[in-house]
Amino acid sequence: MIVLGCSLKIMEEKSSIRSSKMEQMLQDFFNGKMSFKDLVSKLHEKKVFKFDDEDEILNQFCPPSVWKRSPTFRIPEAFFVLEHPETSWQRSAALSSLLFASNKTVFELDGQWLKFSTELNSRIVGAFAVTHGGLRDDLSDSSAYYLRLQTVATLSIAQTIRYMTGLSSEKVWKSAAWLKGLLLKRVSVEWLVPQVQAEIPDSLSQSADLWDPLGFDVRGHGVHPDELALLLAIDSYQYTLHGGLSPLFSDAFFNAMRRIASRTLNTGEMAIIRKQQSSRFDSPMFVSDTLFVRPDIPLGPPLLARQVLHNSGAKWLAGLSLEAFIETLDYLSLVSLTGKDPDLAKGEWILMALYREGKELSLDHLHRAAQYWNDLVQRVAGEKQVNRAHLLARAGIGLFRILDVAQKAVLDQFVEWADLPWKPGLFAGLAKMAAKERDITCWKRNLTALADMLFDSTVDDQQKLDAAILLAQAFQDSADVPIELKMSLLEAVKQEPVLERNVSLRIELRRSELM
């Protein structure tokens, strides 16, 4: 007992000495006798940095990999936090809570009943009003200015620790959260920011770590924490609900999204996109029960905003500048062709956008896209089983008007390789594009392929129904449909009970004047 007591006393004395030395270093920094770089260096030398999951981490901007889970906010609290957040992630968690409550029509706030959609739209657009200028650029709102100060302080501290110590990114963020909390117990964030904005040498290269603090910035040179955090809340909502956005959102919301989407990637955003391809980040990181970071999305905000717009059904591709359009295609090539086997899954949204918006693209945009499409199909052509062949087929349909004879033959091959459930839509889409371009041979061939599906024993009832409806709709677009195709459709309806009983098909047949 005596030995144990002496040991505890010695440990307490050492802790007291260490605390007094650290306090003296802090005072020297506050009094201008020590630079922030020197403070960081000495704290590291004395081994006083804390790397545990301290409560302070919940109050800082830091990557999800070192975050504790945040609770889901209730509606009134979420609205308040959305406008008066302490950190980027806290605001993002509040937005996530509101999105998952968007089925509400009214809610009570300070004794008043308010319309949910009106309040959400008016406040969410303000949350996306993020700029890349100085601390006070376009930030008349004091809460936005405070959030920017907090973010800049954390980033500057983390970057200085990274520069002075060489610690791993995870330890850098944790120690930055601890040090910032320690400093803000003694000084205001307004005083702290100019003191900690150390000049990191431009030659200092980022590490391969996805969350290297050198990759983040609020002035347009790196990933902007506010943009990324808010976009991740939208993506989490879309993914959980299998795509789409709530109809509650207004045009102002989509315009705010398009402003981010139209910007080209900066150097830090390009770096994090490249690092994603070699990262071991392969499972979602949860910030709260409804907010998480998926490994298969681009972490560069402009690209992520484009994906969010696409998943919402909004148009975005045709509105991009040629430079932004090309970097989108570069990302498609990067995620599709990196590695031994081509995988189109991560670039699916871009290929689908080419299909949706191909008819609205300029010739310059179309020819650029065709070059990338050629590279993709050449990489996978010749494979007996092409993974997600329907995606390349759909993209090719969007580019149809500028494809040459050889490219159209390749497109036909990919349509043939597609799995059966996709074929009715591909045949119909290709026939429609061929009709617009007056390619009668291609038009007839694909309508015939639709008709043949109606009598194919390997095609199930749902696929036959899809083919029949699309064929009837194609008849409405042209008066020159061969009579034998019309007779084939009517014969199939008589033979197949699933076709004869279907109300939607009967409506389309009436519109085609076949009934």
Side-chain angles (χ1 to χ4, degrees):
M1 291 294 292
I2 296 176
V3 174
L4 178 59
C6 290
S7 298
L8 289 174
K9 186 175 181 180
I10 292 172
M11 289 175 63
E12 289 173 358
E13 289 176 352
K14 287 184 177 179
S15 177
S16 177
I17 293 171
R18 189 182 296 113
S19 297
S20 62
K21 287 183 177 180
M22 184 172 68
E23 190 64 36
Q24 184 59 53
M25 287 188 287
L26 291 176
Q27 288 302 320
D28 288 344
F29 167 62
F30 295 144
N31 294 331
K33 296 179 180 180
M34 180 185 296
S35 69
F36 184 65
K37 286 183 180 180
D38 289 338
L39 174 64
V40 168
S41 181
K42 288 185 178 298
L43 289 174
H44 178 59
E45 180 184 332
K46 301 295 184 183
K47 298 182 179 181
V48 296
F49 280 134
K50 291 187 178 181
F51 306 129
D52 297 330
D53 286 328
E54 299 286 335
D55 290 339
E56 286 87 350
I57 290 179
L58 290 173
N59 298 317
Q60 317 299 327
F61 164 76
C62 57
S65 58
V66 298
W67 242 67
K68 287 184 176 179
R69 285 205 183 191
S70 173
T72 301
F73 294 101
R74 294 185 178 181
I75 290 179
E77 183 185 10
F79 273 119
F80 178 83
V81 173
L82 189 63
E83 289 192 314
H84 306 283
E86 292 185 359
T87 69
S88 302
W89 290 114
Q90 188 187 54
R91 180 168 64 171
S92 185
L95 174 59
S96 180
S97 297
L98 290 171
L99 290 173
F100 280 91
S102 58
N103 60 333
K104 300 284 186 181
T105 53
V106 295
F107 71 102
E108 186 177 8
L109 180 64
D110 296 332
Q112 292 183 313
W113 286 95
L114 303 174
K115 189 176 180 180
F116 185 88
S117 60
T118 302
E119 294 299 314
L120 180 61
N121 272 301
S122 64
R123 302 187 196 204
I124 195 173
V125 174
F128 272 99
V130 180
T131 63
H132 282 289
L135 283 177
R136 285 196 175 276
D137 288 1
D138 300 327
L139 293 177
S140 56
D141 184 353
S142 60
S143 62
Y145 173 57
Y146 175 77
L147 175 61
R148 178 67 63 80
L149 284 173
Q150 290 283 348
T151 302
V152 171
T154 304
L155 288 178
S156 298
I157 293 172
Q159 289 167 354
T160 303
I161 293 174
R162 158 81 165 79
Y163 172 51
M164 298 299 295
T165 68
L167 292 170
S168 68
S169 292
E170 183 171 343
K171 287 188 175 182
V172 165
W173 286 111
K174 290 181 178 181
S175 56
W178 167 79
L179 181 55
K180 181 185 171 188
L182 187 68
L183 294 171
L184 290 183
K185 290 177 181 178
R186 295 164 171 80
V187 295
S188 68
V189 68
E190 290 85 356
W191 182 92
L192 184 62
V193 164
Q195 310 302 320
V196 300
Q197 284 185 300
E199 295 182 3
I200 306 298
D202 294 335
S203 59
L204 188 63
S205 60
Q206 294 185 38
S207 70
D209 194 305
L210 196 61
W211 304 108
D212 188 328
L214 295 178
F216 292 85
D217 184 67
V218 298
R219 290 177 174 81
H221 304 296
V223 177
H224 197 299
D226 294 331
E227 285 183 343
L228 179 60
L230 288 169
L231 288 167
L232 288 173
I234 303 290
D235 177 74
S236 299
Y237 174 75
Q238 287 183 321
Y239 181 77
T240 303
L241 273 65
H242 305 290
L245 281 178
S246 168
L248 296 172
F249 289 115
S250 65
D251 290 340
F253 168 80
F254 288 108
N255 290 336
M257 297 292 291
R258 287 189 179 96
R259 280 195 293 272
I260 300 174
S262 64
R263 180 171 59 76
T264 55
L265 295 169
N266 60 44
T267 54
E269 292 165 340
M270 290 179 183
I272 200 170
I273 292 295
R274 288 193 297 269
K275 287 191 287 187
Q276 277 187 268
Q277 303 314 304
S278 57
S279 171
R280 294 182 180 179
F281 172 32
D282 55 6
S283 60
M285 295 179 181
F286 282 83
V287 178
S288 71
D289 291 340
T290 57
L291 175 61
F292 48 87
V293 186
R294 297 191 292 125
D296 54 351
I297 59 172
L299 293 178
L303 276 171
L304 183 51
R306 294 166 203 169
Q307 184 172 356
V308 164
L309 284 168
H310 175 81
N311 291 340
S312 72
K315 293 181 179 180
W316 61 275
L317 189 64
L320 295 181
S321 67
L322 185 58
E323 184 181 2
F325 183 77
I326 291 172
E327 75 179 13
T328 304
L329 296 174
D330 284 337
Y331 176 74
L332 170 63
S333 292
L334 178 67
V335 298
S336 300
L337 300 181
T338 300
K340 183 178 179 181
D341 299 316
D343 184 4
L344 303 175
K346 290 184 179 179
E348 177 176 346
W349 57 281
I350 301 174
L351 292 168
M352 289 299 295
L354 289 171
Y355 172 71
R356 287 184 190 174
E357 302 185 51
K359 60 182 177 294
E360 299 175 26
L361 295 176
S362 70
L363 288 178
D364 282 345
H365 285 64
L366 280 174
H367 283 292
R368 289 281 189 171
Q371 293 173 9
Y372 284 82
W373 184 78
N374 280 332
D375 289 342
L376 287 172
V377 296
Q378 287 174 14
R379 176 72 181 270
V380 300
E383 298 284 340
K384 195 168 184 180
Q385 294 293 330
V386 179
N387 183 30
R388 301 176 188 267
H390 67 280
L391 294 175
L392 285 172
R394 282 188 180 275
I397 292 171
L399 304 173
F400 185 84
R401 61 188 167 111
I402 55 104
L403 298 183
D404 58 29
V405 175
Q407 291 170 326
K408 288 178 180 178
V410 173
L411 172 57
D412 288 337
Q413 183 64 73
F414 275 86
V415 171
E416 184 62 30
W417 280 335
D419 293 334
L420 266 176
W422 299 103
K423 285 189 175 181
L426 293 175
F427 288 141
L430 191 48
K432 190 171 185 177
M433 288 298 294
K436 287 182 179 180
E437 298 303 314
R438 301 184 184 279
D439 188 337
I440 304 303
T441 301
C442 181
W443 173 69
K444 286 185 178 179
R445 183 172 65 250
N446 283 280
L447 289 185
T448 301
L450 273 176
D452 290 344
M453 290 188 72
L454 302 178
F455 301 96
D456 189 337
S457 60
T458 65
V459 178
D460 66 25
D461 288 347
Q462 183 58 55
Q463 292 156 11
K464 287 183 179 180
L465 180 59
D466 292 341
I469 290 175
L470 289 169
L471 191 57
Q473 291 173 344
F475 293 166
Q476 300 164 29
D477 297 332
S478 175
D480 299 324
V481 177
I483 187 65
E484 58 266 24
L485 290 180
K486 294 182 178 180
M487 296 304 295
S488 292
L489 178 56
L490 290 174
E491 183 181 350
V493 171
K494 290 180 181 179
Q495 292 182 7
E496 298 286 346
V498 68
L499 302 182
E500 187 178 21
R501 294 193 301 263
N502 189 267
V503 176
S504 297
L505 177 57
R506 294 176 72 85
I507 291 173
E508 297 300 338
L509 291 172
R510 289 193 187 97
R511 289 173 177 170
S512 304
E513 299 181 349
L514 294 179
M515 290 188 70

